[in-house]
């Protein structure tokens, strides 16, 4: 799988698009210039792995040994294989959050990896999310805020409140934006709750407030 990913990306490389993609993402790691549709097609063509240890080993190698950002994108996509998801992957997803340290990685890990595990096993994942909400790492904190995106009526309101309140005063753009995003998303299900939540918190940043009430 590792060889197939690397060979496939090299064959799809576009040296014209590569620097444009790197500049847009403000990435220190270079790009090959392989855009998302081409990566999705490559993903479908990869040999299917049935052994969980082999799968995880390939994902980790692609991520840790990446020379180009697209290798990490492929690792991230492969990490979502539904056959192998369980809470024992949390340390690995945590590593991806901390070492990835940018929104293009973290947002998918939060909403599509950590979020589903939170729903399936809240007894294990909820305490970790609360711990992340006050962590020194801003990307763990952003994960805690946005990991319930799309939960709708299944949203753990107490958890959302705790994670937002823990970060409401932080001046970091990505935290403020994440707070607004999480509230706006929940506002599709509970608009009254979100309006009241924002009204009761005059110290909420203008960015968070504006994003939260955008469609209300």
């Amino acid at each position: 799988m590792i060889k197939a990913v690397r060979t496939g990306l090299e064959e799809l490389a576009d040296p014209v698009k590569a620097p444009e993609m790197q500049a847009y993402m403000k990435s220190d790691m270079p790009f090959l210039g392989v855009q998302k549709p081409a990566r999705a097609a490559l993903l479908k063509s990869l040999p299917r792995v049935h052994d969980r240890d082999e799968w995880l080993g390939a994902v980790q190698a692609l991520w840790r040994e990446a020379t180009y950002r697209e290798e990490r994108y492929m690792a991230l996509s492969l990490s979502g294989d539904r056959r192998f998801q369980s809470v024992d992957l949390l340390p690995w997803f945590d590593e991806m959050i901390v070492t990835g340290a940018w929104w293009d990685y973290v947002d998918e890990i939060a909403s599509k990896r950590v979020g589903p595990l939170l729903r399936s096993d809240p007894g294990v994942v909820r305490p970790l999310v609360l711990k992340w909400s006050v962590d020194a790492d801003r990307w763990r904190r952003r994960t805690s805020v946005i990991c319930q995106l799309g939960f709708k009526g299944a949203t753990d309101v107490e958890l959302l409140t705790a994670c937002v309140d823990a970060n409401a005063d932080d001046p970091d753009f990505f935290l403020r934006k994440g707070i607004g995003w999480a509230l706006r998303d929940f506002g599709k299900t509970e608009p009254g709750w979100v309006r009241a939540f924002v009204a009761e918190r005059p110290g909420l940043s203008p960015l968070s407030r504006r994003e939260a009430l955008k469609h209300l």
Side-chain angles (χ1 to χ4, degrees):
M1 181 185 285
I2 296 170
K3 183 179 179 180
V5 168
R6 290 174 176 163
T7 301
L9 289 174
E10 289 171 3
E11 291 174 350
L12 294 165
D14 186 331
V16 175
K17 292 178 182 176
E20 298 173 358
M21 294 170 69
Q22 184 176 358
Y24 172 76
M25 201 52 65
K26 301 178 181 178
S27 172
D28 292 331
M29 185 180 289
F31 277 78
L32 283 164
V34 185
Q35 295 183 309
K36 190 172 182 178
R39 296 198 305 269
L42 175 59
L43 189 67
K44 291 180 181 179
S45 73
L46 295 176
R48 191 169 175 82
V49 174
H50 299 283
D51 180 82
R52 192 174 190 265
D53 290 339
E54 183 182 351
W55 161 78
L56 184 57
V59 170
Q60 290 177 334
L62 284 168
W63 181 272
R64 291 169 176 166
E65 300 170 11
T67 303
Y68 297 97
R69 203 169 186 91
E70 288 93 340
E71 292 175 84
R72 284 194 160 182
Y73 288 151
M74 293 296 292
L76 180 53
S77 295
L78 288 165
S79 74
D81 194 318
R82 294 181 180 181
R83 297 173 298 163
F84 303 130
Q85 300 303 297
S86 64
V87 292
D88 67 338
L89 290 174
L90 282 169
W92 168 240
F93 293 144
D94 181 41
E95 179 181 329
M96 295 175 84
I97 290 166
V98 174
T99 59
W102 202 240
W103 64 267
D104 56 337
Y105 300 135
V106 171
D107 291 2
E108 183 167 348
I109 297 166
S111 62
K112 297 182 180 180
R113 304 292 180 270
V114 177
L117 291 178
L118 174 62
R119 292 190 70 166
S120 65
D121 202 338
V124 173
V125 184
R126 192 180 193 274
L128 180 63
V129 170
L130 282 171
K131 183 179 178 181
W132 282 352
S133 73
V134 293
D135 194 89
D137 186 276
R138 66 171 170 170
W139 299 107
R140 283 179 176 143
R141 283 183 279 147
R142 181 173 166 98
T143 297
S144 76
V145 170
I146 66 172
C147 66
Q148 295 192 79
L149 290 172
F151 276 30
K152 300 181 180 179
T155 298
D156 182 336
V157 177
E158 290 185 2
L159 179 61
L160 176 62
T161 300
C163 293
V164 169
D165 284 345
N167 293 283
D169 294 334
D170 197 294
D172 183 79
F173 169 83
F174 290 102
L175 285 168
R176 291 185 169 188
K177 188 81 170 181
I179 288 170
W181 184 13
L183 294 173
R184 183 176 75 247
D185 183 72
F186 189 46
K188 298 173 185 176
T189 302
E190 293 288 348
W193 185 91
V194 171
R195 287 193 193 96
F197 183 92
V198 172
E200 292 166 2
R201 288 161 175 77
L204 207 60
S205 74
L207 174 58
S208 296
R209 183 180 302 275
R210 184 169 62 252
E211 290 292 319
L213 302 176
K214 193 170 185 178
H215 300 303
L216 299 181

